Amino acid sequence: MAEETKNPEVQEEAAVAAPKVELSPAQENPEQFLKDFNWEKYEEGIDTVDDKQLEEFEALVASNFVDTLDDDVVEGTVITITDRDAIIDINAKSEGVISLNEFRYNPDLKVGDKVEVLIDVREDATGQLILSHRKARVIKAWDRVNAAHDEGTIVNGFVKARTKGGMIVDVFGIEAFLPGSQIDVKPIRDYDQYVNKTMEFKVVKINHEFKNVVVSHKALIEADIEEQKKEIIGQLEKGQVLEGVVKNITSYGVFVDLGGVDGLVHITDLSWSRINHPNEIVELDQKLNVVILDFDEDKTRIQLGLKQLSKHPWEALGDELKVGDNVKGKVVVIADYGAFIEVEEGVEGLIHVSEMSWSTHLRSAQDFVKVGDVVDAQILTLDREDRKMSLGIKQLTQDPWTDITSKYPVGSRHEGIVRNFTNFGVFLELEEGIDGLIYISDLSWTKKVKHPSEFCEVGDKLEVVVLELDVDGRKLSLGHKQIEANPWDKYEDEFKVGTTHKAAITEIVDKGATIDFNEDITAFVPTRHLEKEDGTKLGKGEEAEFQIIEFNKDFKRVVASHMVIHKEEEAKIVKQAAKKAKAQADESKPTLGDANDALAALKKKMEGGE
């Protein structure tokens, strides 16, 4: 009871003295006040606190403790490190705990380090404050990434791994995507060389919905290159020699990086020699000197040359080389009309197909040579100014027409191969370089050949007789039918006019009919000469006697008649016609005396006599 009476007095004295004290105990020593404060009684509501004390307490808490209900990131201090956790003081009523797994990126973590944390759980089952450093890093990282994107600032990132289409980069603890096309301005062939490297990047795209970040290293390079490009373009001049790096190789040429500006060396400007692909001359990333050949007005399309830096091979061609010399070269290109031979590096000559063989039968150059062949040839023409050279292969062998008269005299018989047809005859090759022509009229004595293809085929072998030989014109006239005697010579007597033969009508044709006396002789019977004795006409297959009323060996024409057999008058007319024809033929043949008389008369006339 004494204490109860004493306490009011103390309180009364404190109340009386209070106006004289400027600061309350809480204000004078807040740390001690908070240390001595009975939290349990306060929470249970045992101690009563007046409004003034409560206001002072709330102000003190607001100024010294973090609001554990807020999701803001706060800074804490590492006060203890155990085997599994880090104890962090965030100036709250209790310390927080963070698993050391969240600090794997920082193996050097130690007591006293400042770290960013986010309150994950206010109190667990044991009343412990649970913090998250990883979540705090993510929140802060997104703030920094967004700021870098908005402000266009450069950020550092660690290339963690390669993925499909690019790389995974750690930027402020966030995994960002680096597309393969954004690594460098030049094509990348080895992505692995960038793994585990720290590089500078620019944040180029953020997808807030899916939390995706895209970064680019190429954007930084392009900015530098653009400045270099402007400087280089302003200094470009035709004929200028620059050093560059092979950036890309295509089938048509090579792209060379001149230090931010690309130029093209066309395949024809890489080497004085013919090449099939640019990779025969250059390789990727190779440094080389090139000369500027041309560019457009904006200097964005630059044409470069490599071969122009060396002397043209024609200029280095020896003066001793002349027409008639024999040279050796490699076949580099083949066309239907000929083949190009490289006799020296960059120096080519053309062998026309007509100069590959003495044969007049034209064929393709592929029949004689193929690419890569090494051949001997003779220089036919040489023009150093126009850099042209024509060569010949056939000149290295003897012209087969040199001794043509002894090998193929008129009347000699030979065998050849059918090489070609024309409407008027067949070209026959007797040997390489020796072709002859068989006119269609010299194919057969008896057959009426309208086109040579009716008689033979290309590649067939035919026996022939040399009919004519023109050495200067290099022409050979051949005959096939002449290998046999002309059957019409013997038929001239057998089927002379007036002779009678028995045969059947083979075919009824326009204006008459035909009859086959044998395999060679086919006669024509005019319509009126088909009349029989009873006035009817012979039909197809009907056999009868026929009299020859016309026989022409030169035109192979035979005309026969059945009617004259039974009509004497018609027979007389035929006989008279035959007699008259014979008489005219005899008169047309001049005698030796007639010729002498004609010559004497001509001489007398020239001398002025009558």
Side-chain angles (χ1 to χ4, degrees), residues 48-215:
T48 58
V49 181
D50 58 23
D51 292 340
K52 185 176 181 181
Q53 285 179 317
L54 185 60
E55 289 176 1
E56 289 178 355
F57 173 73
E58 289 176 348
L60 189 63
V61 171
S63 61
N64 288 278
F65 298 121
V66 282
D67 184 2
T68 58
L69 295 176
D70 199 349
D71 291 335
D72 288 344
V73 175
V74 297
E75 187 177 68
T77 305
V78 180
I79 59 175
T80 304
I81 297 178
T82 69
D83 292 339
R84 298 176 57 186
D85 303 311
I87 310 302
I88 311 296
D89 180 11
I90 61 170
N91 212 14
K93 68 178 183 179
S94 65
E95 289 80 14
V97 177
I98 298 178
S99 173
L100 287 179
N101 288 333
E102 297 192 24
F103 294 99
R104 283 184 297 180
Y105 76 95
N106 184 10
D108 299 327
L109 183 70
K110 62 184 182 298
V111 174
D113 285 352
K114 301 290 185 180
V115 293
E116 294 173 335
V117 297
L118 180 74
I119 300 173
D120 203 10
V121 179
R122 291 178 60 197
E123 289 183 2
D124 62 4
T126 61
Q128 183 68 56
L129 182 64
I130 305 301
L131 307 177
S132 174
H133 177 59
R134 180 181 59 81
K135 291 181 180 179
R137 287 186 69 211
V138 171
I139 292 174
K140 282 294 184 180
W142 275 102
D143 291 341
R144 297 170 71 182
V145 165
N146 282 306
H149 177 262
D150 296 339
E151 299 169 7
T153 55
I154 299 173
V155 298
N156 287 327
F158 178 74
V159 182
K160 296 175 63 176
R162 177 179 177 180
T163 187
K164 184 178 180 181
M167 316 290 289
I168 299 298
V169 180
D170 185 322
V171 179
F172 305 137
I174 295 175
E175 287 191 348
F177 179 60
L178 172 63
S181 61
Q182 295 299 314
I183 297 176
D184 205 334
V185 291
K186 60 184 179 181
I188 301 301
R189 294 177 294 280
D190 181 14
Y191 284 72
D192 295 332
Q193 63 178 311
Y194 295 95
V195 177
N196 297 326
K197 284 188 177 181
T198 300
M199 301 169 60
E200 290 184 334
F201 300 98
K202 191 172 183 180
V203 180
V204 294
K205 185 178 180 182
I206 298 178
N207 188 319
H208 294 280
E209 181 180 357
F210 297 102
K211 297 294 183 182
N212 291 335
V213 179
V214 180
V215 296

Side-chain angles (χ1 to χ4, degrees), residues 264-492:
L264 173 65
V265 184
H266 194 268
I267 187 171
T268 57
D269 290 316
L270 284 171
S271 172
W272 293 113
S273 300
R274 292 179 186 261
I275 58 174
N276 296 317
H277 197 277
N279 57 22
E280 298 176 18
I281 303 297
V282 297
E283 57 186 22
L284 285 172
D285 300 327
Q286 178 183 345
K287 287 186 178 181
L288 43 77
N289 289 329
V290 289
V291 60
I292 298 177
L293 302 180
D294 201 0
F295 46 73
D296 58 12
E297 293 182 359
D298 298 329
K299 297 183 180 179
T300 55
R301 296 176 60 126
I302 305 171
Q303 182 182 347
L304 305 174
L306 180 63
K307 71 180 184 181
Q308 287 79 4
L309 295 177
S310 60
K311 193 175 183 180
H312 197 289
W314 272 88
E315 297 175 6
L317 194 65
D319 295 334
E320 69 280 359
L321 205 63
K322 61 185 183 301
V323 173
D325 287 350
N326 293 340
V327 293
K328 185 186 292 288
K330 183 174 71 173
V331 179
V332 291
V333 174
I334 294 181
D336 287 339
Y337 57 84
F340 288 92
I341 313 298
E342 188 176 52
V343 296
E344 290 188 21
E345 185 177 359
V347 177
E348 296 177 2
L350 171 64
I351 304 179
H352 193 271
V353 67
S354 62
E355 302 298 340
M356 293 183 174
S357 170
W358 289 109
S359 175
T360 56
H361 173 64
L362 291 180
R363 284 174 277 174
S364 175
Q366 288 92 332
D367 296 335
F368 299 96
V369 294
K370 62 181 182 294
V371 173
D373 284 352
V374 176
V375 298
D376 293 314
Q378 187 177 108
I379 299 177
L380 304 181
T381 63
L382 182 61
D383 188 338
R384 293 178 183 270
E385 291 185 5
D386 291 338
R387 296 170 179 168
K388 292 181 179 180
M389 181 190 303
S390 62
L391 307 171
I393 294 177
K394 70 182 185 181
Q395 287 77 10
L396 301 179
T397 59
Q398 184 180 357
D399 185 353
W401 279 83
T402 304
D403 55 352
I404 189 72
T405 53
S406 60
K407 292 173 64 176
Y408 299 98
V410 173
S412 58
R413 297 177 63 157
H414 307 277
E415 186 179 70
I417 299 175
V418 177
R419 290 298 186 192
N420 196 15
F421 292 143
T422 67
N423 290 330
F424 53 84
V426 177
F427 282 101
L428 196 77
E429 186 179 58
L430 298 177
E431 65 172 82
E432 185 76 20
I434 302 294
D435 288 351
L437 174 64
I438 308 174
Y439 282 100
I440 194 169
S441 58
D442 289 318
L443 289 173
S444 174
W445 289 111
T446 57
K447 294 180 181 179
K448 292 183 179 179
V449 182
K450 295 181 180 179
H451 191 274
S453 58
E454 300 173 4
F455 186 82
C456 59
E457 296 180 358
V458 172
D460 286 352
K461 290 184 178 181
L462 293 180
E463 283 192 75
V464 291
V465 174
V466 178
L467 303 180
E468 295 181 14
L469 180 60
D470 182 358
V471 178
D472 296 333
R474 301 174 76 90
K475 293 180 180 179
L476 201 59
S477 179
L478 307 173
H480 174 66
K481 70 182 184 180
Q482 286 80 2
I483 62 175
E484 297 177 351
N486 188 352
W488 285 82
D489 290 340
K490 63 178 181 179
Y491 294 145
E492 190 173 18

